[in-house]
Amino acid sequence: MNVFYLLTIVIVYLAVITYLGYKGYKTTKNSTDYMIGGRTIHPYVMALSYGATFISTAAIVGFGGISSLFGMSLLWLPFANIAIGIFVAFVFFGKRTRRIGLNLDAHTFPEFLGKRFDSPFIQSFSGFIIFIFMPLYAAAVLIGASRIIEGLLDIPYIYSVAIFSILVASYVLMGGLKGVMYTDALQGTLMFCGMLILLVFIYINLGGITSAHSSLTNLADKIPQGLQDQGLTNWTSSPRFGSQLWWVIYSSLVLGVGIGVLAQPQLVVRYMTVKSNKELNRAVLIGGIFILVTTGSAYIVGALSNVFFFENFDKISIAMAKGNTDSVIPLFIAEAMPSWFGYLFMLVILSAGMSTLSSQFHTIGTSIGRDIYKNSFSKYYNKKYELLVTKVGMVVAILATIFLGIQLEKGIVARATAIFFGLMASSFLFPYILSIYWKKVTKAGAISGIISGFTITVFLFLLVSGKEARVFGLSQLFFSRDTLIPGIMEYVDPLVFALPISGLSTIVVSLFTKVTNHKTIETAFEGIKN
Amino acid sequence: MFLGIKDFTVFLAYTLTILSTILCVVYGVMNWNKEGDVSDKEYEEEKNWTKEELEINEELSDGGDIQ
């Protein structure tokens, strides 16, 4: 790859992104001030912004890479991404959230919950959870992008982390959060085009859809023994029911990320940016196609890369990538695609990484400044300090993200994403659903739902979930064994237990306590037909 | 074998991914112009919300107005 061409393209791209962000910001500001037309976000911009924030380098590189190992059963995830992450999210969550959010003037997800339940504690505690754990997800996105830069430029990983971190940190800290929605839309468009080309290319290269799938099916005897022992029989089959791999794929990756999207703080606020439900209706169409092409391509290309590598190098993908699933997609781009695509894909990756990271740091910034500092210390509130706390919080979060990006083990991207999505779902999903659909859910009910979901998830990760429990070592310290409950429980995602318990506890506690904030509920549900 | 895929459940996932996209497209087309009416109160709320959102974004970025 010609570094001069690449640098030129990247610089032009960054200039366009900065210009569009600034222009988009000014347009919104002017139209808000002077009440002229187009004061709020167009459905194309909203859908692409939601999509570009939702689908990151973690999905393309991490989950694409995991598909090369686990095969096409992972396609349940794009199905969930579209059916739940777009259709259910916009139609059943978006419309109500938008109305209630505007009625209560909420600007962040914790603020939405806090105001709905008249509970500063809920707002602060939710902000705290997000502030602490969001860097893990941000690190997954950072690693995803850095692996691509490493693969395309053929430079050491640490340099690619440094390059991408500097790019993102300057973008975020020098005003990149102002026109986020507009730049997201351009970035989403680039992602869409790049991933579509990749999908078409691999199917043509492997002789068409059926032929490509058949070739993958016929590679069954090349599946590594370790994977076979974990339950994988074919890359176009589901793993054996109840096997270790079955639980990892369905409970953690499909369920965690598929459902977890509904309670993602950086996505929930997007609903409030459109001017009516009509825009959300239209965004369903655009968002559905966007997610199909971006995630569908990543997962199909990931799985089919085995055929390409085997036919050309006599090795399957994981062997080509020397055991690191996060390197499979970058390697495939470098080896299989024409060199011009490498340049385009670099922009796709910059887009996918920057759009998600900027939203993540935006969410982190508002969590620490607005949800924790402003909300918890209202007696001593000072605007200057809020700005300072926000800035310091964001710098700390960026540094934590970079630290994790360097320290986390190889092949971690999909897992780290699933952990964050699962934690958000376990803690917030039920209190959130009930807050928009059930007027009788109480503050105590919501608090018990959030705390039980959060506590159970953290407890299981620290002591039971195999990989994580080994890393933290608490089970070893207190019980002299790697994990508290050895066996299949090590592979069942904490979400499987935490989510129903959180839901049950929200409902049961609500039934035994009284709603006290009648006025808030009246305001919140104004304009919503039951 | 379905489209070269060995397992019916994986074929189902493949098909449902495409069908769910078609559902999104059909829903979007059918409701393209629906629910567009906005009351004056809603308009006012939206305007104030956007204004405050811009202020938050300014604070996050540089703590001041860029105009």
Side-chain angles (χ1 to χ4, degrees):
Chain A
M1 188 170 259
N2 186 311
V3 176
F4 176 74
Y5 289 156
L6 184 72
L7 267 180
T8 314
I9 290 170
V10 169
I11 289 168
V12 170
Y13 166 80
L14 291 175
V16 171
I17 288 290
T18 312
Y19 171 73
L20 271 186
Y22 178 71
K23 194 169 185 286
Y25 163 77
K26 272 183 78 171
T27 311
T28 317
K29 189 170 172 61
N30 288 338
S31 50
T32 309
D33 285 350
Y34 304 111
M35 298 205 32
I36 52 172
R39 69 192 182 286
T40 41
I41 305 294
H42 189 277
Y44 178 81
V45 175
M46 186 270 170
L48 268 279
S49 170
Y50 181 95
T53 304
F54 178 11
I55 304 306
S56 63
T57 44
I60 297 171
V61 176
F63 284 79
I66 283 284
S67 303
S68 73
L69 202 58
F70 297 167
M72 288 177 73
S73 56
L74 232 71
L75 279 175
W76 283 106
L77 186 51
F79 163 62
N81 288 158
I82 298 165
I84 299 172
I86 296 292
F87 192 81
V88 172
F90 286 15
V91 177
F92 297 106
F93 283 61
K95 294 177 183 178
R96 278 175 176 257
T97 305
R98 176 184 163 273
R99 192 63 260 147
I100 296 172
L102 291 177
N103 284 340
L104 298 176
D105 195 27
H107 290 263
T108 67
F109 185 50
E111 190 179 19
F112 180 93
L113 292 174
K115 284 191 167 173
R116 166 64 182 80
F117 292 110
D118 275 329
S119 168
F121 170 77
I122 289 182
Q123 185 176 350
S124 308
F125 188 66
S126 307
F128 174 76
I129 295 177
I130 293 165
F131 179 71
I132 296 295
F133 289 93
M134 184 71 95
L136 177 67
Y137 177 30
V141 178
L142 173 70
I143 296 170
S146 304
R147 288 288 173 202
I148 288 280
I149 296 172
E150 176 196 27
L152 290 181
L153 292 185
D154 201 17
I155 55 174
Y157 174 68
I158 192 81
Y159 292 160
S160 60
V161 171
I163 292 172
F164 194 68
S165 302
I166 291 168
L167 268 180
V168 172
S170 346
Y171 179 67
V172 167
L173 296 172
M174 291 169 71
L177 296 178
K178 278 178 181 164
V180 157
M181 300 268 291
Y182 291 87
T183 51
D184 274 2
L186 172 75
Q187 290 169 329
T189 310
L190 277 166
M191 288 164 68
F192 182 87
C193 297
M195 295 310 286
L196 186 63
I197 293 171
L198 197 57
L199 182 67
V200 172
F201 175 89
I202 198 156
Y203 273 139
I204 292 177
N205 191 285
L206 300 179
I209 294 175
T210 306
S211 160
H213 296 164
S214 301
S215 306
L216 183 63
T217 304
N218 295 335
L219 278 185
D221 59 331
K222 306 293 173 210
I223 294 174
Q225 191 57 44
L227 271 178
Q228 291 185 36
D229 295 343
Q230 289 174 30
L232 192 67
T233 55
N234 195 299
W235 275 308
T236 63
S237 292
S238 201
R240 274 195 310 277
F241 178 75
S243 64
Q244 183 181 325
L245 206 57
W246 189 90
W247 279 107
V248 170
I249 291 177
Y250 293 112
S251 78
S252 186
L253 302 179
V254 176
L255 193 68
V257 179
I259 291 183
V261 61
L262 294 172
Q264 284 297 300
Q266 71 278 20
L267 296 179
V268 169
V269 289
R270 291 280 188 269
Y271 305 136
M272 287 173 253
T273 56
V274 293
K275 69 177 172 186
S276 73
N277 287 349
K278 185 175 81 178
E279 278 70 25
L280 286 175
N281 289 337
R282 294 177 176 189
V284 169
L285 184 155
I286 302 158
I289 298 173
F290 178 83
I291 302 292
L292 172 76
V293 169
T294 48
T295 61
S297 300
Y299 299 0
I300 289 170
V301 169
L304 291 178
S305 66
N306 283 300
V307 180
F308 174 83
F309 284 130
F310 192 75
E311 284 179 356
N312 292 281
F313 299 92
D314 210 24
K315 278 182 188 173
I316 60 167
S317 304
I318 196 67
M320 284 292 292
K322 298 185 180 116
N324 184 3
T325 52
D326 296 340
S327 295
V328 170
I329 297 288
L331 204 62
F332 178 79
I333 308 286
E335 296 294 344
M337 301 300 290
S339 60
W340 63 264
F341 185 81
Y343 297 114
L344 172 66
F345 203 73
M346 184 62 94
L347 298 188
V348 169
I349 285 308
L350 286 177
S351 297
M354 285 170 74
S355 53
T356 304
L357 280 165
S358 57
S359 291
Q360 289 169 324
F361 290 122
H362 185 287
T363 308
I364 289 171
T366 52
S367 290
I368 184 83
R370 192 174 177 92
D371 297 323
I372 299 175
Y373 172 72
K374 187 177 177 183
N375 172 52
S376 310
F377 302 95
S378 50
K379 270 188 188 171
Y380 314 98
Y381 175 72
N382 180 319
K383 184 103 184 162
K384 256 189 192 170
Y385 292 147
E386 184 193 349
L387 291 175
L388 184 69
V389 169
T390 304
K391 284 274 174 193
V392 172
M394 281 168 76
V395 170
V396 169
I398 290 174
L399 291 176
T401 302
I402 296 170
F403 175 76
L404 288 172
I406 296 166
Q407 289 296 321
L408 287 176
E409 61 182 276
K410 288 179 176 175
I412 190 71
V413 171
R415 183 82 192 117
T417 307
I419 290 175
F420 182 77
F421 273 60
L423 181 68
M424 291 298 108
S426 304
S427 312
F428 301 125
L429 188 56
F430 269 104
Y432 169 49
I433 296 178
L434 294 168
S435 79
I436 60 174
Y437 273 102
W438 193 35
K439 289 182 184 173
K440 288 184 177 163
V441 60
T442 64
K443 176 161 77 173
I447 291 175
S448 71
I450 293 171
I451 291 184
S452 60
F454 174 74
T455 314
I456 292 166
T457 307
V458 171
F459 172 81
L460 291 174
F461 273 131
L462 289 179
L463 293 168
V464 179
S465 284
K467 269 190 179 174
E468 291 74 19
R470 281 185 185 85
V471 170
F472 289 110
L474 290 179
S475 176
Q476 187 59 253
L477 184 70
F478 292 115
F479 306 101
S480 304
R481 52 186 172 199
D482 282 347
T483 157
L484 197 55
I485 312 171
I488 205 70
M489 273 292 290
E490 291 181 45
Y491 308 100
V492 180
D493 196 272
L495 175 89
V496 173
F497 306 99
L499 189 62
I501 291 173
S502 163
L504 208 64
S505 113
T506 312
I507 293 168
V508 171
V509 174
S510 292
L511 289 175
F512 286 97
T513 46
K514 278 190 178 167
V515 174
T516 50
N517 58 340
H518 295 285
K519 213 167 170 209
T520 304
I521 292 173
E522 206 178 295
T523 312
F525 284 86
E526 209 180 316
I528 291 180
K529 291 174 205 152
N530 287 312
Chain B
M1 292 266 265
F2 316 86
L3 277 180
I5 296 170
K6 195 180 177 195
D7 185 346
F8 179 72
T9 60
V10 175
F11 171 72
L12 191 66
Y14 192 90
T15 315
L16 284 175
T17 305
I18 296 165
L19 287 179
S20 57
T21 310
I22 295 172
L23 171 74
C24 289
V25 172
V26 171
Y27 181 88
V29 171
M30 303 258 294
N31 294 285
W32 194 256
N33 281 317
K34 288 184 185 164
E35 300 180 273
D37 295 335
V38 177
S39 66
D40 289 347
K41 188 172 177 291
E42 209 174 319
Y43 179 88
E44 225 18 67
E45 277 178 356
E46 179 81 45
K47 199 177 71 132
N48 292 335
W49 187 92
T50 310
K51 237 179 187 171
E52 197 176 337
E53 185 71 8
L54 283 165
E55 280 168 23
I56 294 171
N57 289 347
E58 276 173 21
E59 286 165 19
L60 279 175
S61 293
D62 54 18
D65 197 332
I66 61 168
Q67 277 199 314

